[in-house]
């Protein structure tokens, strides 16, 4: 059995093994937190529907209704995520001998993978606790990590991606500082992103980002691992000048 499993694993391409492990935007900790929210939602629904010996009081009814209303968007998105994961798992495990069908299955995999990553981003945003700064603009800082020149090039690619996102969202993207490497990469940069809800959308980007690819700086075609870090800070809202009267 173990030998058969090893042979099956070797027959699955590297990308498909990554899909089976579901290496996406959501960390194991975030997935566990999302599952706890689903459990809390189910418990609230069960408690609200309770009848007989344990009727729900008026105060509990209001509390449970508010809890359900707050958790419903995140729970629905997570259920949609699990559905797409199951569909993707079925495609990955599908054995197809016909070349035409194999190409169609591969196209479906790529489509589902793109949908899965988009849903994961929405789940991340939905389960993140709201705060008063979510509607603010933001200061975005990127910095190259390990990987030398390739890390700087990766940082430049990430900054370009954020700029394209800002253009799509009709945000104002203004560079405040940039330090470039010898080959045109970015060692560090900070930008101002102005728009409604910028911080709420970008705050999940904070942390270390990693890429594994054959860099432009390597003449032997070897795969390198490079990292970069992202920091997102909310911009304070403008303070309206007020007259101060001294008594």
């Amino acid at each position: 059995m173990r030998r058969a499993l090893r042979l099956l694993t070797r027959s699955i391409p590297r990308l498909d093994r990554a899909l089976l492990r579901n290496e996406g935007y959501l960390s194991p900790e975030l997935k566990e937190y999302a599952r706890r929210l689903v459990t809390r939602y189910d418990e609230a629904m069960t408690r609200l529907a309770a009848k007989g010996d344990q009727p729900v009081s008026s105060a509990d009814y209001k509390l449970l209704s508010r809890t359900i209303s707050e958790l419903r968007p995140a729970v629905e998105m997570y259920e949609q995520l699990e559905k797409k994961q199951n569909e993707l798992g079925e495609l990955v495990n599908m054995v197809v001998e016909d070349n035409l069908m194999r190409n169609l299955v591969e196209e479906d995999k790529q489509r589902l993978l793109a949908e899965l990553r988009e849903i994961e981003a929405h789940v991340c945003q939905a389960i993140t606790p709201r705060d008063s700064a979510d509607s603010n603009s933001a200061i975005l800082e990127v910095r190259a990590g390990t990987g030398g020149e390739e890390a700087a090039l990766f940082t430049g690619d990430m900054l370009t991606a954020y700029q394209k996102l800002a253009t799509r969202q009709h945000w104002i993207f203004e560079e405040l500082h940039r330090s470039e490497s010898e080959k045109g990469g970015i060692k560090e940069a900070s930008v101002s992103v102005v728009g409604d809800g910028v911080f709420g959308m970008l705050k999940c980007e904070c942390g270390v980002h990693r890429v594994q690819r054959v860099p432009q700086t390597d003449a032997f075609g070897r795969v390198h691992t490079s990292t970069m870090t992202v920091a997102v800070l909310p911009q304070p809202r403008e303070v309206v000048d007020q007259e101060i009267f001294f008594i």
Side-chain angles (χ1 to χ4, degrees):
M1 181 65 182
R2 292 182 179 178
R3 183 173 181 273
L5 183 59
R6 286 197 299 269
L7 292 175
L8 175 62
T9 303
R10 291 173 185 173
S11 66
I12 299 176
R14 181 180 299 178
L15 173 61
D16 289 354
R17 293 202 300 270
L19 297 182
L20 284 171
R21 292 193 301 268
N22 187 30
E23 296 177 349
Y25 297 130
L26 293 180
S27 65
E29 292 78 12
L30 284 178
K31 291 177 183 178
E32 180 60 29
Y33 177 67
R35 294 189 191 100
R36 290 201 301 268
L37 292 183
V38 173
T39 301
R40 182 181 170 194
Y41 176 84
D42 292 339
E43 291 174 349
M45 290 289 291
T46 302
R47 182 74 179 89
L48 193 62
K51 297 179 181 179
D53 298 336
Q54 296 181 339
V56 178
S57 64
S58 177
D60 289 343
Y61 183 87
K62 292 181 180 179
L63 178 61
L64 291 170
S65 298
R66 185 169 66 249
T67 300
I68 292 171
S69 177
E70 292 175 352
L71 295 180
R72 181 177 287 116
V75 171
E76 290 178 350
M77 290 300 302
Y78 188 73
E79 290 177 347
Q80 187 177 357
L81 175 66
E82 288 188 324
K83 180 181 177 181
K84 292 295 182 182
Q85 287 175 344
N86 292 334
E87 294 178 9
L88 191 58
E90 292 177 359
L91 284 177
V92 168
N93 292 317
M94 184 179 297
V95 178
V96 182
E97 296 181 357
D98 183 71
N99 290 332
L100 178 60
M101 286 298 298
R102 188 182 296 110
N103 292 334
L104 293 176
V105 170
E106 189 63 31
E107 290 178 2
D108 285 342
K109 287 180 187 177
Q110 298 302 325
R111 175 183 57 80
L112 279 174
L113 180 61
E115 293 178 1
L116 184 62
R117 295 300 175 254
E118 184 177 356
I119 295 173
E120 282 185 332
H122 288 303
V123 170
C124 179
Q125 186 175 2
I127 67 177
T128 303
R130 294 286 179 180
D131 59 53
S132 58
D134 279 354
S135 60
N136 290 22
S137 301
I139 297 294
L140 177 71
E141 297 181 353
V142 295
R143 187 184 301 271
T146 58
E149 188 66 37
E150 171 61 16
L153 294 173
F154 174 44
T155 305
D157 293 341
M158 290 291 292
L159 186 62
T160 301
Y162 290 130
Q163 186 173 11
K164 290 181 178 180
L165 173 64
T167 301
R168 180 178 299 180
Q169 297 292 332
H170 305 288
W171 296 336
I172 300 175
F173 189 90
E174 179 184 1
E175 282 197 12
L176 304 176
H177 166 72
R178 172 193 285 251
S179 175
E180 295 187 351
S181 64
E182 295 179 357
K183 296 188 178 182
I186 294 180
K187 294 180 179 179
E188 59 182 21
S190 59
V191 298
S192 170
V193 188
V194 178
D196 186 40
V198 173
F199 180 71
M201 182 173 290
L202 293 182
K203 64 183 181 182
C204 288
E205 293 294 312
C206 290
V208 179
H209 296 251
R210 185 187 70 169
V211 66
Q212 288 182 306
R213 63 184 182 184
V214 178
Q216 302 174 8
T217 56
D218 191 283
F220 301 99
R222 296 171 298 185
V223 176
H224 285 231
T225 300
S226 303
T227 63
M228 56 86 64
T229 58
V230 176
V232 183
L233 305 173
Q235 292 192 34
R237 291 186 174 275
E238 295 182 0
V239 179
V240 180
D241 293 336
Q242 297 180 352
E243 295 183 3
I244 301 178
F245 296 93
F246 296 93
I247 300 177

